Amino acid sequence: AFHAMIELYQEIIAPHNLPVTLLLGAVFLYWLLVLAGILDFDLDILEIGDATADLGDAADAHHGHLGGLWLSFGKALGFAKVPILIWGSFFSLFLWAGNVALNYYYNGSPGERSMSTAALLFVPGVLGSLVVTKIVTLPIGRLFTAMAESATENVDVIGRTGVVVSAEATDQFGQLQIGNEGAPVLLNVRLTPGGAPLTKGASAKIITASPDGKFYLIEPA
């Protein structure tokens, strides 16, 4: 057992595994600081506005297409409904485990690993980690969705006016924030078909909920 532990230690600090080992170490350090109360746990879900807020005016014309692609990408991988820190922690863990295992079994013998082979093995490692992370975070995403829906159900939003907080709101995607006695409520919204897109910061009025209850129809206030 002791020999196996030494072999594992040598493997995880080898050059071909060191980057993913450092990444996983940073994740563990973050969670230790959270448990110690030194850092706060951020439950925010990554939004398109956060990813493009610093790009400047030259990027504004592309926000609509980027927003749709980002939301589709997030839904496909699972981080559109799960806080990015939770999603990223699982991904880092699976990426580390996959990278170590792939190199151990398919990249020569200990002490003679090939960096070029390790680079090739990194690709299926990333793809596999994305798939496993998606599967593992599915129930977590359902939990956060249920929490969000529960919070929204306690607020009568029909007829209320809010502010667009996504890069823009169209008939395909968008997010609206309305004030509340407690924390502001963030809603998934869509413009009525044919309406001109609303840019971030614009005021909009909530007309009705969609038949499936997944979003609300809005119009310019």
Side-chain angles (χ1 to χ4, degrees), residues 3-221:
H3 177 74
M5 291 295 295
I6 294 297
E7 185 178 4
L8 175 62
Y9 174 75
Q10 293 175 337
E11 190 67 26
I12 64 178
I13 64 171
H16 54 277
N17 285 323
L18 188 58
V20 291
T21 298
L22 292 175
L23 175 62
L24 185 63
V27 171
F28 272 112
L29 178 60
Y30 167 79
W31 286 111
L32 286 175
L33 293 176
V34 169
L35 292 174
I38 299 175
L39 292 179
D40 292 329
F41 176 38
D42 189 358
L43 286 174
D44 290 341
I45 295 176
L46 193 64
E47 299 172 15
I48 182 61
D50 298 330
T52 58
D54 298 327
L55 293 180
D57 295 337
D60 289 343
H62 304 287
H63 276 181
H65 297 296
L66 184 59
L69 289 173
W70 182 252
L71 288 175
S72 298
F73 190 63
K75 290 177 181 178
L77 296 182
F79 62 78
K81 295 183 178 180
V82 178
I84 193 66
L85 289 174
I86 293 179
W87 188 94
S89 297
F90 278 109
F91 175 73
S92 300
L93 175 60
F94 297 136
L95 179 62
W96 174 83
N99 199 74
V100 171
L102 286 171
N103 279 284
Y104 185 82
Y105 290 108
Y106 302 106
N107 190 6
S109 57
E112 299 179 358
R113 310 291 190 199
S114 166
M115 291 298 293
S116 58
T117 302
L120 292 175
L121 292 173
F122 185 73
V123 176
V126 170
L127 296 177
S129 300
L130 290 174
V131 173
V132 177
T133 301
K134 164 72 173 182
I135 295 172
V136 170
T137 56
L138 274 176
I140 301 176
R142 294 192 185 100
L143 174 63
F144 276 91
T145 299
M147 291 170 59
E149 290 175 350
S150 176
T152 303
E153 288 173 357
N154 294 327
V155 181
D156 186 11
V157 299
I158 305 301
R160 297 277 298 274
T161 299
V163 176
V164 175
V165 293
S166 51
E168 66 176 4
T170 69
D171 57 1
Q172 297 296 320
F173 72 95
Q175 288 186 317
L176 188 79
Q177 180 176 288
I178 62 173
N180 193 28
E181 293 181 358
V185 176
L186 190 64
L187 305 172
N188 291 320
V189 296
R190 306 284 188 274
L191 274 174
T192 52
L198 296 177
T199 58
K200 185 175 182 178
S203 296
K205 181 179 180 180
I206 301 172
I207 304 173
T208 185
S210 65
D212 56 11
K214 292 184 178 180
F215 61 88
Y216 292 87
L217 286 174
I218 62 172
E219 64 181 5

